[in-house]
Amino acid sequence: MPTFDPNDLAKWGRGVWNSAPVDRIRGFSIDTRSLAEGQLFVAIKDKRDGHEFLEIAQKDGAGGALVSNCDKNLSFPQLLSSDTVGSLQSIAYEYRKTFKGNVIGITGSCGKTSTKDMLGNFLGSDRTHCTAGNLNNHLGVPLSLLGIELNQHKFAVIEAGINGKGEMQELAHMIQPNIVVVTNIGSSHLEGLGSEQGVANEKAHLFKQHPALKKVIFPEHCLAFKEFDEFFKTSNSQCLVLRKGVPQGQCREGEVHYEFRTETNTTGNSFALRLWRDGFPVMNFSTPPLSEGMASNMALSILASLELGIEEKNLFERLPQYSPPALRGRTLSGRGCTYFVDCYNANPTSMQDSITFFKKQFSDQPKLLVLGGMEELGEKEEELHQDLGAQIQLEENDLVVLVGEKASWLGEGILASGGREDQVLALNQGNEANSIIEDFKGAVFFKGSRSLKLESLVPEWAVEKIN
């Protein structure tokens, strides 16, 4: 954990200490439940006013607090500022400028966290700082930046997530990325961003007007949006577009082609990711089973690593060390059944990609899809659910369990596209599905928005599957 000079914090955060700490500050926290000794507790006014917890912060060993009004009844140091969130962000911005390594900003409608984890692994976990969990918003980004160890880390991989207009500019100002990776543009957070074009408009702010920017990497479908297409045409030396499929002849400057292949041999299926770059031999990576979306994200991570000087031999050595984080595509097994748990969150793009992968992986087994609704889709949420449902083709012995009202819209699409009524069951509460899941013999899939916590429906006997 990096430490901070209290005088720097006062200067960077435009605040004044009521009494300066004797010792250096050992990091930052906005939650007393996770506060570590010596950290600066940042009092945020949100659903609760963080100033109500100052006494707890002092008792738990905080090195001080960043406040908008001092509590004169407490004896520990308090850094007074008119805006604690703004001060935290300003401190992070100034601290980011002291880092001499490369900062990689990652954004996209889905796949940000998986791409961040892959890239952190490829760059070398001992010298790379990554966003913890999904701390990717106006509070998470400054906390992530303030976790960089200046004397240890050579790279920082920072995830940037938004759900409203104007937010990305704020995040980009703090991150000041050297490399930007955009995983995709899709129908997510439409409640705040309006449309996929609105999503693209905001995501593009991560790579606009940054003097230290070296390269922007994104998949070819992003070119359908004006901001990305114009950047590609006007900043070709700074842009790298990932195109799917084998190139017809030589790759053009600013483009990389990839192919993800599944081959069946005497021992089962094998998976390979191939990359074609202008002026380089074809690269061929053996991979674990991946969805098409995850294969694209892995290719993006490899390209970013190569841009940052990582040698091919290191990529080959480090790739087997990657495994998906909990709730993001983990395969469990027990009592003769397989459980695919990908329920950290959901939007139409990630849902379709994950279901397609699941059906392909377990094509020879009966399948049970346990699906929840998708949040923050705005005015077209019912239509988007129905459209996705229409793409879910069920086989003879497949079943679908839909949890909650929004998931029932998926069912309307499934039935409209030929699904049988006896294959689709809509439930109000997830726990109503327990007996169905436990009795089912085959492969079971779980995905829905985070608020539903569908992982709680995975049988207790299911354990990590060793491939």
Side-chain angles (χ1 to χ4, degrees):
M1 177 66 70
T3 63
F4 301 84
D5 185 329
N7 293 325
D8 287 338
L9 299 185
K11 178 181 177 182
W12 294 345
R14 300 182 296 276
V16 178
W17 290 104
N18 67 344
S19 61
V22 176
D23 299 321
R24 291 176 68 87
I25 294 296
R26 302 176 191 170
F28 299 78
S29 175
I30 59 173
D31 190 337
T32 54
R33 294 170 295 182
S34 57
L35 180 71
E37 186 174 352
Q39 288 187 328
L40 185 73
F41 173 66
V42 184
I44 303 295
K45 292 182 179 180
D46 194 14
K47 295 178 182 178
R48 295 286 300 273
D49 186 346
H51 293 80
E52 298 174 8
F53 300 91
L54 291 177
E55 186 174 355
I56 296 174
Q58 180 181 18
K59 289 180 180 178
D60 289 349
L66 177 57
V67 299
S68 57
N69 53 277
C70 290
D71 188 334
K72 297 180 180 179
N73 297 319
L74 301 178
S75 59
F76 81 140
Q78 297 169 62
L79 179 58
L80 180 62
S81 163
S82 60
D83 175 9
T84 56
V85 173
S87 289
L88 176 66
Q89 293 175 339
S90 180
I91 289 169
Y93 167 73
E94 295 293 343
Y95 183 65
R96 162 37 187 131
K97 292 196 298 185
T98 69
F99 180 52
K100 304 304 181 184
N102 283 286
V103 175
I104 303 92
I106 295 182
T107 193
S109 294
C110 59
K112 295 183 292 294
T113 299
S114 297
T115 304
K116 172 204 69 182
D117 292 339
M118 289 180 192
L119 183 53
N121 175 58
F122 287 142
L123 295 176
S125 57
D126 58 333
R127 59 177 187 165
T128 304
H129 172 69
C130 293
T131 295
N134 66 335
L135 289 175
N136 62 15
N137 64 4
H138 67 296
L139 297 175
V141 165
L143 292 173
S144 295
L145 289 168
L146 290 166
I148 299 172
E149 288 276 9
L150 301 180
N151 296 324
Q152 174 187 345
H153 296 131
K154 303 299 182 185
F155 307 101
V157 185
I158 306 297
E159 188 179 327
I162 59 172
N163 55 25
K165 295 179 180 179
E167 294 177 3
M168 185 61 82
Q169 290 169 288
E170 186 178 78
L171 303 185
H173 174 72
M174 288 184 281
I175 296 170
Q176 293 290 309
N178 304 109
I179 301 284
V180 168
V181 176
V182 182
T183 59
N184 51 49
I185 300 296
S187 298
S188 66
H189 302 298
L190 299 187
E191 198 168 68
L193 299 174
S195 65
E196 288 192 1
Q197 182 60 60
V199 174
N201 292 344
E202 295 301 315
K203 297 292 186 183
H205 283 295
L206 188 57
F207 55 78
K208 287 184 177 179
Q209 300 175 349
H210 298 307
L213 185 68
K214 300 175 183 176
K215 192 74 70 173
V216 180
I217 308 170
F218 53 79
E220 63 179 324
H221 79 264
C222 293
L223 293 174
F225 302 96
K226 181 179 70 172
E227 293 77 11
F228 289 81
D229 186 52
E230 288 182 351
F231 187 83
F232 175 61
K233 290 176 179 177
T234 60
S235 307
N236 205 25
S237 63
Q238 285 186 297
C239 196
L240 202 55
V241 174
L242 180 67
R243 296 191 180 276
K244 184 178 179 181
V246 179
Q248 302 300 311
Q250 191 75 12
C251 289
R252 293 186 295 177
E253 182 182 1
E255 297 183 354
V256 173
H257 286 250
Y258 83 103
E259 179 188 45
F260 182 63
R261 301 177 62 181
T262 303
E263 297 180 350
T264 302
N265 53 39
T266 56
T267 59
N269 290 333
S270 63
F271 305 87
L273 177 67
R274 303 175 74 192
L275 285 176
W276 289 264
R277 297 181 293 155
D278 180 33
F280 294 91
V282 178
M283 299 180 70
N284 197 331
F285 296 89
S286 295
T287 75
L290 298 172
S291 69
E292 288 293 338
M294 286 290 286
S296 174
N297 293 339
M298 181 169 283
L300 293 169
S301 301
I302 291 172
L303 292 178
S305 301
L306 293 168
E307 289 294 325
L308 291 166
I310 303 302
E311 296 183 3
E312 292 184 19
K313 65 177 183 179
N314 295 126
L315 297 175
F316 288 112
E317 291 171 357
R318 293 167 182 168
L319 192 150
Q321 299 169 13
Y322 169 77
S323 62
L327 309 184
R328 286 186 169 92
R330 286 290 182 92
T331 302
L332 311 177
S333 61
R335 299 189 181 181
C337 296
T338 302
Y339 304 91
F340 187 76
V341 185
D342 187 20
C343 50
Y344 184 82
N345 219 331
N347 61 40
T349 302
S350 65
M351 185 80 87
Q352 179 62 41
D353 181 63
S354 194
I355 290 174
T356 300
F357 170 73
F358 172 76
K359 291 178 67 177
K360 185 176 181 181
Q361 279 294 104
F362 304 103
S363 59
D364 59 343
Q365 300 182 44
K367 290 171 281 295
L368 169 61
L369 305 178
V370 182
L371 306 179
M374 301 173 287
E375 301 294 339
E376 298 185 62
L377 295 181
E379 296 178 354
K380 293 186 176 181
E381 60 177 357
E382 186 171 351
E383 178 184 339
L384 288 168
H385 279 84
Q386 291 170 344
D387 288 347
L388 176 60
Q391 298 178 60
I392 300 174
Q393 300 298 310
L394 301 179
E395 298 174 15
E396 179 67 24
N397 296 316
D398 293 348
L399 296 175
V400 179
V401 169
L402 304 169
V403 180
E405 179 187 5
K406 294 183 179 180
S408 69
W409 298 331
L410 291 168
E412 294 174 13
I414 293 171
L415 295 176
S417 65
R420 303 194 317 268
E421 289 190 6
D422 65 330
Q423 290 181 292
V424 181
L425 178 63
L427 304 174
N428 292 322
Q429 302 293 329
N431 56 15
E432 299 175 37
N434 284 332
S435 60
I436 300 171
I437 295 168
E438 292 175 3
D439 293 342
F440 189 81
K441 300 302 179 184
V444 186
F445 173 88
F446 299 84
K447 193 166 181 66
S449 284
R450 182 83 296 271
S451 60
L452 295 168
K453 297 183 179 180
L454 294 183
E455 69 276 8
S456 64
L457 304 181
V458 179
E460 60 182 13
W461 61 72
V463 297
E464 194 82 16
K465 184 175 181 180
I466 308 298
N467 292 318

